[in-house]
Amino acid sequence: MIQIFLDTLADLARSSGLAALQWQNAVMILISFVFMYLAIKKGFEPLLLLPIAFGMLLTNLPLTEMYHPELWNIDEGAELDFGRILHEGGLIDYLYIGVKLQIYPALIFLGIGCMTDFAPLIANPKSFLLGAAAQAGIFLTFIGAAALGFNANEAGSIAIIGGADGPTSIYVSSKLLNAGGYEVEVGTIALAAYTYMALVPLIQPPIMRALTTKKERLVRMEQLRTVSKTEKIIFPIAVTVIIALLVPSAAPLVGMLMLGNLFKESGCVDRLSKTAQNELMNIITIFLGISVGATTVASKIISVAFLKVILLGVVAFAVGSASGVLFAKLMYLVTGGKVNPLIGSAGVSAVPMAARVSQKVGAEEDPTNFLLMHAMGPNVAGVIGSAVAAGVLLSIIPH
Amino acid sequence: MIQIFLDTLADLARSSGLAALQWQNAVMILISFVFMYLAIKKGFEPLLLLPIAFGMLLTNLPLTEMYHPELWNIDEGAELDFGRILHEGGLIDYLYIGVKLQIYPALIFLGIGCMTDFAPLIANPKSFLLGAAAQAGIFLTFIGAAALGFNANEAGSIAIIGGADGPTSIYVSSKLLNAGGYEVEVGTIALAAYTYMALVPLIQPPIMRALTTKKERLVRMEQLRTVSKTEKIIFPIAVTVIIALLVPSAAPLVGMLMLGNLFKESGCVDRLSKTAQNELMNIITIFLGISVGATTVASKIISVAFLKVILLGVVAFAVGSASGVLFAKLMYLVTGGKVNPLIGSAGVSAVPMAARVSQKVGAEEDPTNFLLMHAMGPNVAGVIGSAVAAGVLLSIIPH
Amino acid sequence: MIQIFLDTLADLARSSGLAALQWQNAVMILISFVFMYLAIKKGFEPLLLLPIAFGMLLTNLPLTEMYHPELWNIDEGAELDFGRILHEGGLIDYLYIGVKLQIYPALIFLGIGCMTDFAPLIANPKSFLLGAAAQAGIFLTFIGAAALGFNANEAGSIAIIGGADGPTSIYVSSKLLNAGGYEVEVGTIALAAYTYMALVPLIQPPIMRALTTKKERLVRMEQLRTVSKTEKIIFPIAVTVIIALLVPSAAPLVGMLMLGNLFKESGCVDRLSKTAQNELMNIITIFLGISVGATTVASKIISVAFLKVILLGVVAFAVGSASGVLFAKLMYLVTGGKVNPLIGSAGVSAVPMAARVSQKVGAEEDPTNFLLMHAMGPNVAGVIGSAVAAGVLLSIIPH
Amino acid sequence: MNPEYVGAVVISGLVIVFLGLILLIIAVNVMGAVFKGIKGMRKKQKPADPVQDSPRVIPMPSEPLVIPQSEDEEIIAVIAAAIAAIGESTGKRLSIKSIRQKNTRSSWAGAALHENTRPF
Amino acid sequence: MNPEYVGAVVISGLVIVFLGLILLIIAVNVMGAVFKGIKGMRKKQKPADPVQDSPRVIPMPSEPLVIPQSEDEEIIAVIAAAIAAIGESTGKRLSIKSIRQKNTRSSWAGAALHENTRPF
Amino acid sequence: MNPEYVGAVVISGLVIVFLGLILLIIAVNVMGAVFKGIKGMRKKQKPADPVQDSPRVIPMPSEPLVIPQSEDEEIIAVIAAAIAAIGESTGKRLSIKSIRQKNTRSSWAGAALHENTRPF
Ligand code: NA
Ligand code: NA
Ligand code: NA
């Protein structure tokens, strides 16, 4: 019996995680600690980054069998074998199905729609132009990624980080990076996207100050008109129809965002709206975070490719913000000084932080200048804009 | 590059939804706007009709790839290919799995059970007879549907509209219309059922007034006895056992309804009861509404068959209400005037609207006559009655 | 027509549940009533036992087609056919998928983590020893089960009852009893586990009094030190890393427990923490309870094997409690009387009941002796301890 | 469809629905009788309470408890009026003391506290 | 990647994004014009109200209603200051009467009561 | 089952459970020591505060903070009694100022406001 006992213990020692731990895993675990620190102590988008970092931790603890990359890294042209995933998968594989089938980002957009007020955009529809201009960050980053040697699917996934919109980034990258063998994966895209979104208050102000004059920053904008309830109800329906007819592949994101907004504005389905923006979104966020985090295997993070992603990500945010500000300067000129260029940077999305940055930089010059509501227009337009850009990428790049 | 750019734009124009839009889709989109208007402005069962109408909109915007009818319209005798659905499906296909597997209606019944008070029925069990009588609407509509040329599965699906119970209608029709090629589908049945349920306050009063005398409408009913907590706890268990032993195919609906009610009445699992009737039901309602709405493809709505469904639906409601009133008149005679025939129409289900209609029509004759609680008995009995009728249809009609 | 009508009625009578009811089903239905009574009137873990008992009722009502044991009882070495389960299954089969894939217990642990305060354990880490000692109940019961003729998979499933932790029991037994043909099944294990957990206040006090002297029971323990927020944040991360490296197969349970606790202690994701411990856990509990209850087919309950499980279950609890108390006595001796042995029995888990029993038995001797917080340490250590024991069983016993 | 088949569906459908609900009537009546019997036995054991002599009048104040959770304010007003009317006829002052909705919430808070002590 | 392909992606991407959002601008402007027209027609029918002569000043008190649900207290303070500033310049005393967050909750309680009366 | 196999399961099971939890004891002790060290270094830098001379008495009022969310009222009463008893022995009047349950709710309301400003 002692022999069996010793054999069993030896077996267990051999089958322990410590015996199987490689240095890459150890590094990844340390990186996950860094992201947990950023999420908890620095307040970097903790709702997503904390579950993502914990998923990263779990997946790098060897032999836990919670996530199996080999189930998901299929050859190009092959199909996922969902039967095998159910048989051989672990908890995180099951949760990841909702990412792979694009269910989670769409449902999160439903909840965001229930929380978004489009009134500032309806009151000042010209803001849409700023929401469009800021998407230049996406497309110029696409050029950069191509220049750095990424292929089209990788470049599209990296570029969408510039949309400054977490669910959209996950939606696009999980679709474009369907087969295995790419140098980046959903988890790294999500990490970069949420990290840079958290850094918006640091990245944007210097760009905004550099591109504007003091006179421009002092512009006081006209009071926004009141928007009627009926306009708010018609808006989400009209946006759905127009965008889906133009770019059908943007329909899942835009459609769910607008359904959520219709729940909110109709005022007659409050119980659905409340659940969609709270419990449903929280459940999806937990599942999304853990499983997206688990895709960050060591070989994709401890690599030159990841450094390039980090670099391209900050370029994307900077270019997007700058495009927004520059386009707003153009509008300042055309309107004879009625538009404060500081609201342009809010076009990148990152609701409502980018709008608050506009308010804050404006208030530095004139504490009584109230730009927030004017910046909310481009801000929510940016969400629609990046969803459209996502649709374009998905319809152009084969996957 | 200009050539490639132009080619790409041309491609995108060709692949835009506008290019693929057919007149039937356009008509359907307009119909979806009508239902949104009815839901939002007229208060027609907005919790279901708003998501259904939006699902209808999304599915008729071409190329959005959110719902694929071809995945679900299988040949008779063939089996759904869930692997293919996961590979080729879109968001609404995934949500629709819960309809097809009959999961959503059963879970909604769980929530309804948590909200239903059966005390008025326990206090006056004769109300069960009215809940049975009103189901005549279902079976007479079956005759009508057969006469208008529908086959058994279609006729059963149309007839169940007369049960005035949304989840039951979806449960029965999604099971009976399993194969493709039918002239009606789940979406049209659901649209008709919820629309007529919203119209109960318009449909019932003239029928009630026509079939009753002023003397009958003035009947004051005896105070209901108090029901003990133990009786309320035993009731759901007893109903489950008796109904499941008699009509096993009614067990999923009745069983879940009664489990919910047991959660409520036991008083010891309030956290489960609260979640089942709120967040869980709201989530299911959103998923159910969108996906059921998406099944309403143009060819099934812009058709003679749909006009027949509309016609048969109103017949079903009218016959059901009339049967209830007439049976209540019979009870009025037998009991020597102790039963107010106005409570009979409440037997159609449509809780609690049908009971409120009874109260209202009674109060027109005598504002101090308090019929509401007496009508709640037949009303909740109608829910059980239509679930039993559903079980009978499912066990008789091959599917 | 009368002939067809009579034939149809005869068919329905033949296809009614009453015609198919066997005496074993009837007995099982009566047993389900007993458990409902215990849950509702006696307060035996009603959150789980009420849904379990109702699942038991539904599964024993013949022909309801809500649960199909034949879909799950596969030959050893064979694989579950999920396609067939989706095609031929009923509502409870679909809910049971979450048990079979081990999803529910892990998500319940996530919620428990959000509700657990590990501060008493961090303040007095020696409590871990008591949480380990009480797991002796698991392993000694394994011997007993082997002696009574159970095979390794059955013995492991029975032994884990001694962990006094419902989700862990379901996790281990649904994994070990993967193939068909075993004498016990998940449902019976869950029934025994939750029943004995409810009986903790009856089982433990006599054992505690028998094994301790009055002097020992009067020991007042030192005030626990205050634990800083940072320690509380680091604790769940450290536990995850250490346990997963030592026993990887314990990672899904321990990892999710600690993720929940990190949600709680980080203080920056309150909306996730709130949903995980309320709505998500409630939904999972409903699904888990109904489906686990449905696995209790008559042949596994009305059997000698079940009597053995009942017997072994109480042995497991008694041995676990006794081991905890005896180890605490050892600590009493080693520390020179600073540890009150009554806190040892709390090591079995069953949070927070076992800790309250320690408090209560201590207060019988000295009403001003405040043992609760001191017993919470071993109590929450016991949860970790039984998860580790579960991991060991799963890694040693082939399945 | 064959008319005979249609007829068979309709008649057997109606028969079974009525049969099922009549069985439920019987069951509820049996249950009610049993509980009446139990109460009756208990009453015999207690000395008769003179205040409880008029059993039909006493239960009224508890009537509002049967109000389903879903009543909106309009209905509550109707109920209040009805109760007031009943009250006048019996010479007692009755009022709505509590609507279930409120009870649920406050009792829920308490229940959460209690249930969390032994949840899983 | 082929540089021409990259260029095509970028240019067509930007063009379509702008095209889509310009279409939305047109749609919103059309909608606004229609509603203005409807209001205008209504106003003509009513006798002109002298108090409503200065349409740009009147809407201000309703400004706080456009505050998104997500504003934290810091922002609320900013808004309060801004409104106060505006109020001084127009010679009116304005104050924040309600922040959406609160409205949602209280109206939710009412809505639950109402909606439960006709849910499914 | 082979008795040797049974023995191996039992012994290796117990050994590993103890091993795991002993490793956790070490980890927690290390963590505690590190934090004590950090606090000690901070204290040295500050001038010694005379009020903080009796470290064992001061932490008591914060004791209720360790109460798990799940305590029901019975337990709260027990705790209150215990605290009162402790209070008497130290000559100070102590009382439960807050139970976590309440804190969670009010802080949740605040957190929701804050978190919604940057959720996704
Ligand atoms: Na954007
Ligand atoms: Na009905
Ligand atoms: Na344990």
Side-chain angles (χ1 to χ4, degrees), chain A residues 271 274, chain B residues 115 270-271 273-274 277-279, chain D residues 69-70 98-113, chain E residues 104-116, chain F residues 105:
Chain A
R271 47 181 292 164
K274 186 175 159 275
Chain B
M115 300 197 299
D270 280 351
R271 47 182 291 164
S273 169
K274 186 174 159 279
Q277 76 188 266
N278 290 301
E279 290 79 16
Chain D
Q69 297 186 335
S70 50
S98 68
I99 297 296
R100 173 81 48 85
Q101 198 76 12
K102 274 199 178 160
N103 282 351
T104 313
R105 290 188 184 229
S106 62
S107 76
W108 165 248
L113 208 68
Chain E
T104 312
R105 290 191 184 229
S106 60
S107 77
W108 164 249
L113 207 68
H114 175 73
E115 278 174 20
N116 276 336
Chain F
R105 289 187 184 231

Side-chain angles (χ1 to χ4, degrees), chain B residues 1 4-5 8-9 12 43 45 47-48 112 115 197 281 285 352 356, chain E residues 2-5 7-8 11-12 15-16 108 115-120:
Chain B
M1 192 172 105
I4 293 189
F5 165 63
T8 311
L9 275 193
L12 282 168
E45 302 284 343
L47 288 170
L48 264 296
I112 293 176
M115 300 197 299
M197 280 165 69
M281 190 149 85
T285 301
R356 292 168 71 179
Chain E
N2 182 337
E4 297 205 337
Y5 175 73
I11 296 174
S12 47
V15 167
I16 291 168
W108 164 249
E115 278 174 20
N116 276 336
T117 59
R118 43 157 71 185
F120 296 93

Side-chain angles (χ1 to χ4, degrees), chain B residues 23-262:
Chain B
W23 71 265
Q24 291 95 333
N25 295 124
V27 172
M28 290 297 290
I29 289 171
L30 293 178
I31 294 177
S32 81
F33 292 167
V34 172
F35 278 104
M36 287 183 206
Y37 175 81
L38 293 175
I40 296 171
K41 289 285 167 193
K42 297 291 168 191
F44 274 35
E45 302 284 343
L47 288 170
L48 264 296
L49 275 188
L50 187 57
I52 287 177
F54 207 87
M56 200 169 163
L57 168 63
L58 289 176
T59 207
N60 280 290
L61 290 166
L63 308 177
T64 55
E65 298 284 325
M66 294 179 76
Y67 176 70
H68 301 76
E70 68 272 19
L71 291 174
W72 301 98
N73 290 333
I74 52 171
D75 293 334
E76 230 186 298
E79 283 191 339
L80 287 173
D81 184 344
F82 286 102
R84 199 179 146 216
I85 289 167
L86 292 182
H87 284 124
E88 304 177 14
L91 178 66
I92 300 182
D93 291 302
Y94 307 139
L95 299 181
Y96 191 58
I97 292 174
V99 176
K100 208 68 192 177
L101 298 183
Q102 325 276 328
I103 296 171
Y104 298 157
L107 292 182
I108 287 186
F109 258 53
L110 180 74
I112 293 176
C114 294
M115 300 197 299
T116 304
D117 185 353
F118 286 108
L121 183 56
I122 301 172
N124 185 16
K126 284 189 296 289
S127 308
F128 270 121
L129 291 173
L130 299 173
Q135 309 313 320
I138 295 178
F139 295 103
L140 294 184
T141 306
F142 188 83
I143 299 178
L148 290 181
F150 289 106
N151 66 29
N153 297 51
E154 294 161 348
S157 304
I158 296 166
I160 198 68
I161 297 173
D165 190 289
T168 302
S169 301
I170 292 168
Y171 186 84
V172 168
S173 58
S174 71
K175 216 153 187 173
L176 289 183
L177 306 175
N178 199 32
Y182 291 112
E183 286 193 68
V184 292
E185 86 266 290
V186 180
T188 52
I189 299 295
L191 270 183
Y194 283 106
T195 305
Y196 284 127
M197 280 165 69
L199 291 174
V200 153
L202 293 181
I203 296 174
Q204 288 193 329
I207 296 169
M208 293 159 75
R209 286 190 210 106
L211 295 177
T212 51
T213 64
K214 188 180 171 86
K215 192 186 155 202
E216 287 167 349
R217 292 197 292 275
L218 282 170
V219 170
R220 278 179 180 253
M221 292 180 70
E222 257 175 48
Q223 184 71 32
L224 289 174
R225 74 174 176 92
T226 314
V227 173
S228 73
K229 196 188 167 212
T230 314
E231 283 176 289
K232 287 193 203 170
I233 290 172
I234 292 173
F235 180 81
I237 303 170
V239 171
T240 305
V241 172
I242 292 169
I243 297 298
L245 286 180
L246 186 71
V247 193
S249 47
L253 287 181
V254 173
M256 297 311 278
L257 182 73
M258 293 302 151
L259 175 57
N261 192 246
L262 185 59

